[in-house]
Amino acid sequence: MRIRVKQALNSPETRSNIQVKGWVRTKRQSKGFCFLEVNDGSCLKNLQVIVDQGVPGYEFIDQVNTGASVDISGDLVSSPGKGQAWEVKASMIALVGGADPESYPLQKKRHSDEFLRTIAHLRPRTNKYGAMNRIRSEMSFGVHKYFHDLGFNYIHTPIVTGSDCEGAGEMFLVTALDLDDLAAKGKRVDFEIDFFGKRAHLTVSGQLNAENLACALGDVYTFGPTFRAENSNTPKHVAEFWMIEPEMAFADLKDNMDLAEDMVKKMLIHVRENCPDDLELFTRFVDKDLESRLDNIINKAFVRLPYVQAIDILNQSGQQFEFPVEYGLDLQTEHERFLCEQHFKAPVILFDYPKTIKPFYMRVNDDDQTVAAMDVLVPGVGELVGGSQREERQDVLESRIDETGLNRDDYWWYIDLRRFGTVPHSGFGLGFERLLMLATGVTNIRDVIMFPRTPKGLEF
């Protein structure tokens, strides 16, 4: 019977005639027998295998090197060695795929993150990135479980879109035209003859479509890839990333803030309960303050602070910031982290931003100067969540579309929601990779997504 390494290490009893398949992490050969450490990706720990001379396949043991894949049969027995309760006494070993010991890049030593990014196809085999992928998998499941338990419907919104949700224009063009041929012939690009008959882009958000579904199903969420053609090489930005976007009908800004706070806390609790060994690796080798910071986020109420008060606090702080602090300007990461890491020493939800720095769809407040927007700031990351109550009034929405220089015709269907049974509704976007950074203490987003897409970076 084939079992995973995790099952073997947690077995309540000895087992006969089991099969384990995986990759060799280390090999120690002595006269007449060989020790192998085998890992199949199911957990952080390796399974020790003892292969005695004379068992079928031992004649190929010299070819079984670090990185090789193997198929092993034998008995799971109590281990006399320290550090493991069980080991496998092999009755057969087969080399499935060899690995040249001279060129295999993952030898038994610490490798830098910068180096491992150059071999992203192999880095999941390391302890750190194996743990990261398991945490990412468990956190993904946790997201779906969280919303399912609350009664939200999971929806799928388009990846190819004809509208710009954010109004920033930083979108990737999607076309079926032969641009090289058009350039060679000196012709202009005519999108009317393109596949969709108009300009098409990769989406920066599923929010606008999610609002459609919320105004029919009530509470919904989407969880999928989004794309931003922002020429940024900061540790917080990649061009392709995953977003969690819930949308609630009959909900205001307070409902939105409550959901965001609850979700962040529940996700951290979920990963703690289900990935303790993998998280412990990040506490030991990545961020020794990780446990206390997660405790602080889980156990403290999030501070709720109007934008204007945040500006006052920053201006009176005596801190020298690289970027200016002024009413009407968006906050930068250094400002966000000062507020939650130094001033309040707790997560902060900023709300009621000036409407001039926010997208057209956010509900205008009674002062006609601010909108019902909110951002969740957390220690170690800065902004984690951005959201708002949506503008449900047709005349105000149309006015905001005009103010921001967009074309009403591109949003006719969005405006229609305000014509037919409009309701207050709200939602937010939570960057999944930033949530993983928060949970693990990793400081570069390129290390929580296995194949990061960055400016001039399209390997793998």
Short mmCIF file of all heavy atoms in Angstrom, two decimals, residues 204-258:
data_model
loop_
_atom_site.label_atom_id
_atom_site.label_comp_id
_atom_site.label_asym_id
_atom_site.label_seq_id
_atom_site.Cartn_x
_atom_site.Cartn_y
_atom_site.Cartn_z
N VAL A 204 -7.89 43.99 -13.77
CA VAL A 204 -7.19 44.37 -12.53
C VAL A 204 -8.04 44.03 -11.31
O VAL A 204 -7.57 44.11 -10.18
CB VAL A 204 -6.83 45.87 -12.51
CG1 VAL A 204 -5.88 46.21 -13.64
CG2 VAL A 204 -8.08 46.74 -12.59
N SER A 205 -9.31 43.67 -11.55
CA SER A 205 -10.21 43.36 -10.44
C SER A 205 -11.49 42.74 -10.98
O SER A 205 -11.95 43.10 -12.05
CB SER A 205 -10.55 44.64 -9.65
OG SER A 205 -11.59 44.39 -8.71
N GLY A 206 -12.05 41.83 -10.19
CA GLY A 206 -13.34 41.25 -10.55
C GLY A 206 -14.50 41.98 -9.89
O GLY A 206 -15.66 41.53 -9.99
N GLN A 207 -14.22 43.10 -9.25
CA GLN A 207 -15.20 43.76 -8.40
C GLN A 207 -16.48 44.17 -9.12
O GLN A 207 -17.59 43.91 -8.65
CB GLN A 207 -14.59 44.99 -7.75
CG GLN A 207 -15.60 45.81 -6.95
CD GLN A 207 -15.25 47.26 -6.89
OE1 GLN A 207 -14.11 47.59 -6.62
NE2 GLN A 207 -16.21 48.14 -7.15
N LEU A 208 -16.35 44.85 -10.26
CA LEU A 208 -17.55 45.37 -10.92
C LEU A 208 -18.50 44.25 -11.29
O LEU A 208 -19.73 44.37 -11.12
CB LEU A 208 -17.16 46.18 -12.16
CG LEU A 208 -16.25 47.39 -11.95
CD1 LEU A 208 -16.14 48.20 -13.23
CD2 LEU A 208 -16.72 48.27 -10.81
N ASN A 209 -17.95 43.14 -11.78
CA ASN A 209 -18.80 42.00 -12.11
C ASN A 209 -19.35 41.34 -10.85
O ASN A 209 -20.48 40.83 -10.85
CB ASN A 209 -18.02 40.99 -12.93
CG ASN A 209 -17.60 41.54 -14.28
OD1 ASN A 209 -16.43 41.86 -14.49
ND2 ASN A 209 -18.54 41.67 -15.20
N ALA A 210 -18.55 41.34 -9.79
CA ALA A 210 -19.03 40.76 -8.53
C ALA A 210 -20.23 41.54 -8.00
O ALA A 210 -21.15 40.96 -7.41
CB ALA A 210 -17.91 40.75 -7.49
N GLU A 211 -20.25 42.85 -8.23
CA GLU A 211 -21.40 43.65 -7.82
C GLU A 211 -22.67 43.18 -8.53
O GLU A 211 -23.76 43.17 -7.95
CB GLU A 211 -21.15 45.12 -8.08
CG GLU A 211 -20.13 45.76 -7.14
CD GLU A 211 -20.02 47.26 -7.37
OE1 GLU A 211 -21.06 47.94 -7.38
OE2 GLU A 211 -18.88 47.75 -7.55
N ASN A 212 -22.54 42.82 -9.81
CA ASN A 212 -23.69 42.28 -10.54
C ASN A 212 -24.30 41.09 -9.81
O ASN A 212 -25.51 40.99 -9.62
CB ASN A 212 -23.26 41.82 -11.94
CG ASN A 212 -22.92 42.94 -12.89
OD1 ASN A 212 -22.71 42.73 -14.06
ND2 ASN A 212 -22.86 44.16 -12.39
N LEU A 213 -23.43 40.17 -9.41
CA LEU A 213 -23.90 38.95 -8.77
C LEU A 213 -24.41 39.22 -7.36
O LEU A 213 -25.39 38.60 -6.92
CB LEU A 213 -22.78 37.91 -8.73
CG LEU A 213 -22.59 37.03 -9.97
CD1 LEU A 213 -23.78 36.11 -10.17
CD2 LEU A 213 -22.32 37.83 -11.22
N ALA A 214 -23.77 40.17 -6.66
CA ALA A 214 -24.23 40.50 -5.31
C ALA A 214 -25.64 41.06 -5.35
O ALA A 214 -26.44 40.83 -4.43
CB ALA A 214 -23.28 41.49 -4.64
N CYS A 215 -25.96 41.80 -6.42
CA CYS A 215 -27.29 42.38 -6.55
C CYS A 215 -28.31 41.36 -7.05
O CYS A 215 -29.42 41.73 -7.45
CB CYS A 215 -27.24 43.60 -7.47
SG CYS A 215 -26.37 45.00 -6.72
N ALA A 216 -27.95 40.10 -7.03
CA ALA A 216 -28.88 39.03 -7.36
C ALA A 216 -28.83 37.91 -6.32
O ALA A 216 -29.86 37.34 -5.96
CB ALA A 216 -28.58 38.45 -8.74
N LEU A 217 -27.61 37.61 -5.84
CA LEU A 217 -27.44 36.48 -4.93
C LEU A 217 -27.23 36.90 -3.48
O LEU A 217 -27.20 36.05 -2.59
CB LEU A 217 -26.25 35.62 -5.38
CG LEU A 217 -26.31 35.04 -6.79
CD1 LEU A 217 -25.06 34.22 -7.09
CD2 LEU A 217 -27.56 34.20 -6.98
N GLY A 218 -27.00 38.18 -3.26
CA GLY A 218 -26.78 38.65 -1.89
C GLY A 218 -25.32 38.80 -1.57
O GLY A 218 -24.70 39.81 -1.90
N ASP A 219 -24.71 37.80 -0.95
CA ASP A 219 -23.30 37.83 -0.57
C ASP A 219 -22.51 36.87 -1.46
O ASP A 219 -22.83 35.68 -1.53
CB ASP A 219 -23.12 37.43 0.90
CG ASP A 219 -23.77 38.43 1.84
OD1 ASP A 219 -23.99 39.57 1.43
OD2 ASP A 219 -24.07 38.06 3.00
N VAL A 220 -21.49 37.40 -2.13
CA VAL A 220 -20.69 36.59 -3.06
C VAL A 220 -19.22 36.90 -2.85
O VAL A 220 -18.84 37.86 -2.18
CB VAL A 220 -21.07 36.89 -4.53
CG1 VAL A 220 -22.55 36.62 -4.78
CG2 VAL A 220 -20.74 38.34 -4.90
N TYR A 221 -18.37 36.07 -3.42
CA TYR A 221 -16.94 36.37 -3.43
C TYR A 221 -16.30 35.73 -4.65
O TYR A 221 -16.79 34.73 -5.18
CB TYR A 221 -16.25 35.87 -2.15
CG TYR A 221 -16.01 34.38 -2.10
CD1 TYR A 221 -14.75 33.83 -2.36
CD2 TYR A 221 -17.04 33.49 -1.78
CE1 TYR A 221 -14.52 32.46 -2.29
CE2 TYR A 221 -16.83 32.13 -1.72
CZ TYR A 221 -15.57 31.61 -1.98
OH TYR A 221 -15.35 30.25 -1.93
N THR A 222 -15.24 36.35 -5.10
CA THR A 222 -14.42 35.77 -6.16
C THR A 222 -12.99 35.68 -5.65
O THR A 222 -12.55 36.48 -4.83
CB THR A 222 -14.51 36.61 -7.46
OG1 THR A 222 -13.75 35.98 -8.49
CG2 THR A 222 -13.99 38.02 -7.25
N PHE A 223 -12.27 34.69 -6.13
CA PHE A 223 -10.90 34.44 -5.68
C PHE A 223 -10.14 33.93 -6.90
O PHE A 223 -10.29 32.79 -7.31
CB PHE A 223 -10.92 33.40 -4.56
CG PHE A 223 -9.55 33.03 -4.00
CD1 PHE A 223 -8.45 33.84 -4.18
CD2 PHE A 223 -9.39 31.85 -3.28
CE1 PHE A 223 -7.21 33.49 -3.66
CE2 PHE A 223 -8.16 31.49 -2.75
CZ PHE A 223 -7.08 32.31 -2.94
N GLY A 224 -9.36 34.81 -7.50
CA GLY A 224 -8.67 34.42 -8.72
C GLY A 224 -7.57 35.39 -9.10
O GLY A 224 -7.28 36.36 -8.37
N PRO A 225 -6.92 35.16 -10.24
CA PRO A 225 -5.79 35.99 -10.66
C PRO A 225 -6.24 37.34 -11.20
O PRO A 225 -7.28 37.45 -11.85
CB PRO A 225 -5.12 35.15 -11.76
CG PRO A 225 -6.25 34.33 -12.33
CD PRO A 225 -7.17 34.05 -11.18
N THR A 226 -5.46 38.35 -10.91
CA THR A 226 -5.65 39.69 -11.47
C THR A 226 -4.30 40.19 -11.96
O THR A 226 -3.24 39.66 -11.59
CB THR A 226 -6.23 40.66 -10.43
OG1 THR A 226 -5.41 40.62 -9.24
CG2 THR A 226 -7.65 40.27 -10.05
N PHE A 227 -4.32 41.23 -12.79
CA PHE A 227 -3.11 41.63 -13.51
C PHE A 227 -2.99 43.15 -13.51
O PHE A 227 -3.98 43.85 -13.72
CB PHE A 227 -3.17 41.12 -14.95
CG PHE A 227 -3.46 39.65 -15.06
CD1 PHE A 227 -4.78 39.19 -15.04
CD2 PHE A 227 -2.44 38.71 -15.15
CE1 PHE A 227 -5.08 37.83 -15.12
CE2 PHE A 227 -2.72 37.36 -15.23
CZ PHE A 227 -4.04 36.92 -15.22
N ARG A 228 -1.78 43.62 -13.30
CA ARG A 228 -1.55 45.07 -13.32
C ARG A 228 -0.23 45.37 -14.01
O ARG A 228 0.82 44.86 -13.60
CB ARG A 228 -1.56 45.63 -11.90
CG ARG A 228 -1.48 47.15 -11.85
CD ARG A 228 -2.00 47.66 -10.53
NE ARG A 228 -3.40 47.34 -10.34
CZ ARG A 228 -4.07 47.59 -9.21
NH1 ARG A 228 -3.46 48.17 -8.20
NH2 ARG A 228 -5.34 47.27 -9.10
N ALA A 229 -0.29 46.17 -15.06
CA ALA A 229 0.90 46.50 -15.83
C ALA A 229 1.60 47.71 -15.23
O ALA A 229 1.84 48.72 -15.88
CB ALA A 229 0.52 46.77 -17.29
N GLU A 230 1.92 47.59 -13.96
CA GLU A 230 2.59 48.66 -13.23
C GLU A 230 4.08 48.39 -13.22
O GLU A 230 4.53 47.34 -12.76
CB GLU A 230 2.05 48.72 -11.80
CG GLU A 230 2.61 49.85 -10.96
CD GLU A 230 1.99 49.88 -9.57
OE1 GLU A 230 1.18 49.00 -9.26
OE2 GLU A 230 2.34 50.79 -8.81
N ASN A 231 4.86 49.33 -13.75
CA ASN A 231 6.30 49.13 -13.87
C ASN A 231 6.95 49.39 -12.51
O ASN A 231 7.62 50.39 -12.29
CB ASN A 231 6.88 50.06 -14.93
CG ASN A 231 8.33 49.72 -15.25
OD1 ASN A 231 8.82 48.64 -14.91
ND2 ASN A 231 9.03 50.63 -15.89
N SER A 232 6.74 48.44 -11.60
CA SER A 232 7.22 48.59 -10.23
C SER A 232 8.04 47.37 -9.84
O SER A 232 7.62 46.23 -10.07
CB SER A 232 6.04 48.75 -9.27
OG SER A 232 6.48 48.80 -7.94
N ASN A 233 9.18 47.61 -9.23
CA ASN A 233 10.05 46.51 -8.79
C ASN A 233 10.19 46.48 -7.27
O ASN A 233 11.22 46.07 -6.74
CB ASN A 233 11.43 46.63 -9.43
CG ASN A 233 11.44 46.10 -10.85
OD1 ASN A 233 11.25 44.90 -11.08
ND2 ASN A 233 11.64 46.98 -11.81
N THR A 234 9.14 46.92 -6.57
CA THR A 234 9.20 46.91 -5.11
C THR A 234 8.94 45.50 -4.59
O THR A 234 8.39 44.65 -5.30
CB THR A 234 8.16 47.87 -4.50
OG1 THR A 234 6.86 47.26 -4.59
CG2 THR A 234 8.15 49.20 -5.23
N PRO A 235 9.28 45.24 -3.33
CA PRO A 235 9.03 43.91 -2.74
C PRO A 235 7.55 43.58 -2.56
O PRO A 235 7.21 42.47 -2.18
CB PRO A 235 9.73 43.98 -1.38
CG PRO A 235 10.73 45.07 -1.50
CD PRO A 235 10.10 46.07 -2.42
N LYS A 236 6.65 44.55 -2.84
CA LYS A 236 5.21 44.33 -2.63
C LYS A 236 4.44 44.17 -3.94
O LYS A 236 3.22 43.97 -3.90
CB LYS A 236 4.61 45.51 -1.85
CG LYS A 236 5.04 45.59 -0.40
CD LYS A 236 4.50 46.84 0.26
CE LYS A 236 3.00 46.94 0.20
NZ LYS A 236 2.48 48.14 0.89
N HIS A 237 5.11 44.27 -5.08
CA HIS A 237 4.37 44.30 -6.34
C HIS A 237 4.84 43.23 -7.33
O HIS A 237 6.03 43.03 -7.51
CB HIS A 237 4.52 45.68 -7.00
CG HIS A 237 3.87 46.79 -6.24
ND1 HIS A 237 4.56 47.53 -5.31
CD2 HIS A 237 2.59 47.26 -6.25
CE1 HIS A 237 3.73 48.44 -4.79
NE2 HIS A 237 2.54 48.29 -5.34
N VAL A 238 3.88 42.57 -7.95
CA VAL A 238 4.11 41.72 -9.11
C VAL A 238 3.00 42.02 -10.10
O VAL A 238 1.98 42.62 -9.77
CB VAL A 238 4.11 40.21 -8.74
CG1 VAL A 238 5.40 39.81 -8.05
CG2 VAL A 238 2.90 39.85 -7.90
N ALA A 239 3.19 41.58 -11.34
CA ALA A 239 2.22 41.90 -12.39
C ALA A 239 1.03 40.96 -12.39
O ALA A 239 -0.05 41.31 -12.86
CB ALA A 239 2.91 41.86 -13.76
N GLU A 240 1.20 39.75 -11.87
CA GLU A 240 0.12 38.77 -11.78
C GLU A 240 0.01 38.33 -10.33
O GLU A 240 0.99 37.87 -9.75
CB GLU A 240 0.41 37.57 -12.68
CG GLU A 240 -0.63 36.46 -12.59
CD GLU A 240 -0.25 35.22 -13.40
OE1 GLU A 240 0.72 35.28 -14.16
OE2 GLU A 240 -0.93 34.19 -13.24
N PHE A 241 -1.17 38.50 -9.76
CA PHE A 241 -1.35 38.17 -8.36
C PHE A 241 -2.79 37.73 -8.14
O PHE A 241 -3.65 37.90 -9.01
CB PHE A 241 -1.01 39.37 -7.46
CG PHE A 241 -1.71 40.64 -7.86
CD1 PHE A 241 -2.86 41.06 -7.21
CD2 PHE A 241 -1.22 41.42 -8.90
CE1 PHE A 241 -3.51 42.22 -7.59
CE2 PHE A 241 -1.86 42.60 -9.29
CZ PHE A 241 -3.02 42.99 -8.64
N TRP A 242 -3.07 37.16 -6.98
CA TRP A 242 -4.40 36.62 -6.69
C TRP A 242 -5.12 37.52 -5.71
O TRP A 242 -4.53 38.00 -4.74
CB TRP A 242 -4.29 35.20 -6.15
CG TRP A 242 -4.02 34.21 -7.25
CD1 TRP A 242 -2.91 34.16 -8.05
CD2 TRP A 242 -4.88 33.17 -7.69
NE1 TRP A 242 -3.05 33.15 -8.96
CE2 TRP A 242 -4.24 32.51 -8.76
CE3 TRP A 242 -6.14 32.72 -7.27
CZ2 TRP A 242 -4.81 31.43 -9.43
CZ3 TRP A 242 -6.71 31.64 -7.93
CH2 TRP A 242 -6.05 31.01 -9.00
N MET A 243 -6.40 37.74 -5.99
CA MET A 243 -7.21 38.62 -5.15
C MET A 243 -8.43 37.89 -4.61
O MET A 243 -9.07 37.11 -5.33
CB MET A 243 -7.68 39.83 -5.96
CG MET A 243 -6.58 40.84 -6.26
SD MET A 243 -6.09 41.80 -4.80
CE MET A 243 -7.51 42.88 -4.64
N ILE A 244 -8.73 38.15 -3.35
CA ILE A 244 -9.96 37.69 -2.71
C ILE A 244 -10.89 38.89 -2.66
O ILE A 244 -10.55 39.92 -2.05
CB ILE A 244 -9.68 37.18 -1.29
CG1 ILE A 244 -8.60 36.09 -1.30
CG2 ILE A 244 -10.96 36.69 -0.63
CD1 ILE A 244 -7.95 35.87 0.05
N GLU A 245 -12.05 38.78 -3.31
CA GLU A 245 -12.93 39.93 -3.42
C GLU A 245 -14.37 39.57 -3.04
O GLU A 245 -15.14 39.10 -3.87
CB GLU A 245 -12.89 40.50 -4.83
CG GLU A 245 -11.51 41.03 -5.23
CD GLU A 245 -11.47 41.61 -6.63
OE1 GLU A 245 -11.54 40.82 -7.59
OE2 GLU A 245 -11.40 42.84 -6.75
N PRO A 246 -14.75 39.77 -1.78
CA PRO A 246 -16.14 39.57 -1.38
C PRO A 246 -16.97 40.81 -1.71
O PRO A 246 -16.46 41.94 -1.74
CB PRO A 246 -16.05 39.36 0.12
CG PRO A 246 -14.84 40.12 0.53
CD PRO A 246 -13.87 40.05 -0.62
N GLU A 247 -18.24 40.61 -1.96
CA GLU A 247 -19.17 41.71 -2.21
C GLU A 247 -20.48 41.38 -1.50
O GLU A 247 -21.01 40.27 -1.65
CB GLU A 247 -19.40 41.87 -3.71
CG GLU A 247 -20.01 43.19 -4.10
CD GLU A 247 -19.05 44.37 -3.97
OE1 GLU A 247 -17.83 44.18 -4.15
OE2 GLU A 247 -19.54 45.49 -3.68
N MET A 248 -21.00 42.34 -0.73
CA MET A 248 -22.19 42.10 0.08
C MET A 248 -23.29 43.08 -0.29
O MET A 248 -23.06 44.30 -0.34
CB MET A 248 -21.87 42.27 1.57
CG MET A 248 -20.82 41.32 2.11
SD MET A 248 -20.44 41.68 3.85
CE MET A 248 -19.56 43.25 3.69
N ALA A 249 -24.48 42.57 -0.57
CA ALA A 249 -25.64 43.42 -0.78
C ALA A 249 -26.23 43.84 0.55
O ALA A 249 -26.06 43.15 1.57
CB ALA A 249 -26.68 42.68 -1.62
N PHE A 250 -26.89 45.01 0.56
CA PHE A 250 -27.51 45.56 1.77
C PHE A 250 -26.47 45.71 2.89
O PHE A 250 -26.73 45.39 4.05
CB PHE A 250 -28.67 44.67 2.24
CG PHE A 250 -29.74 44.48 1.19
CD1 PHE A 250 -29.75 43.35 0.40
CD2 PHE A 250 -30.70 45.46 0.98
CE1 PHE A 250 -30.72 43.18 -0.57
CE2 PHE A 250 -31.68 45.29 0.00
CZ PHE A 250 -31.70 44.15 -0.78
N ALA A 251 -25.27 46.19 2.53
CA ALA A 251 -24.18 46.32 3.50
C ALA A 251 -23.51 47.68 3.33
O ALA A 251 -23.32 48.16 2.21
CB ALA A 251 -23.16 45.20 3.29
N ASP A 252 -23.16 48.29 4.47
CA ASP A 252 -22.50 49.60 4.43
C ASP A 252 -21.02 49.47 4.77
O ASP A 252 -20.48 48.35 4.86
CB ASP A 252 -23.21 50.58 5.37
CG ASP A 252 -23.19 50.12 6.83
OD1 ASP A 252 -22.40 49.21 7.18
OD2 ASP A 252 -23.96 50.69 7.64
N LEU A 253 -20.36 50.61 4.97
CA LEU A 253 -18.92 50.60 5.22
C LEU A 253 -18.57 49.87 6.51
O LEU A 253 -17.57 49.15 6.58
CB LEU A 253 -18.38 52.03 5.26
CG LEU A 253 -16.86 52.17 5.39
CD1 LEU A 253 -16.15 51.60 4.17
CD2 LEU A 253 -16.46 53.62 5.60
N LYS A 254 -19.39 50.04 7.55
CA LYS A 254 -19.10 49.35 8.81
C LYS A 254 -19.16 47.84 8.62
O LYS A 254 -18.31 47.10 9.14
CB LYS A 254 -20.08 49.78 9.89
CG LYS A 254 -19.81 49.10 11.24
CD LYS A 254 -20.80 49.50 12.30
CE LYS A 254 -20.48 48.82 13.63
NZ LYS A 254 -20.49 47.33 13.53
N ASP A 255 -20.16 47.36 7.91
CA ASP A 255 -20.24 45.92 7.61
C ASP A 255 -18.98 45.45 6.90
O ASP A 255 -18.46 44.36 7.17
CB ASP A 255 -21.46 45.62 6.74
CG ASP A 255 -22.77 45.99 7.41
OD1 ASP A 255 -22.90 45.74 8.62
OD2 ASP A 255 -23.66 46.52 6.73
N ASN A 256 -18.50 46.27 6.00
CA ASN A 256 -17.30 45.94 5.22
C ASN A 256 -16.08 45.84 6.12
O ASN A 256 -15.27 44.90 6.01
CB ASN A 256 -17.10 47.03 4.16
CG ASN A 256 -16.46 46.51 2.91
OD1 ASN A 256 -16.57 45.34 2.56
ND2 ASN A 256 -15.76 47.38 2.21
N MET A 257 -15.91 46.80 7.02
CA MET A 257 -14.77 46.79 7.93
C MET A 257 -14.85 45.59 8.88
O MET A 257 -13.84 44.96 9.17
CB MET A 257 -14.71 48.10 8.70
CG MET A 257 -14.36 49.30 7.84
SD MET A 257 -13.97 50.81 8.78
CE MET A 257 -15.61 51.33 9.29
N ASP A 258 -16.05 45.29 9.34
CA ASP A 258 -16.22 44.14 10.24
C ASP A 258 -15.81 42.84 9.55
O ASP A 258 -15.13 41.99 10.15
CB ASP A 258 -17.67 44.03 10.69
CG ASP A 258 -18.09 45.14 11.64
OD1 ASP A 258 -17.20 45.83 12.18
OD2 ASP A 258 -19.31 45.33 11.82
#
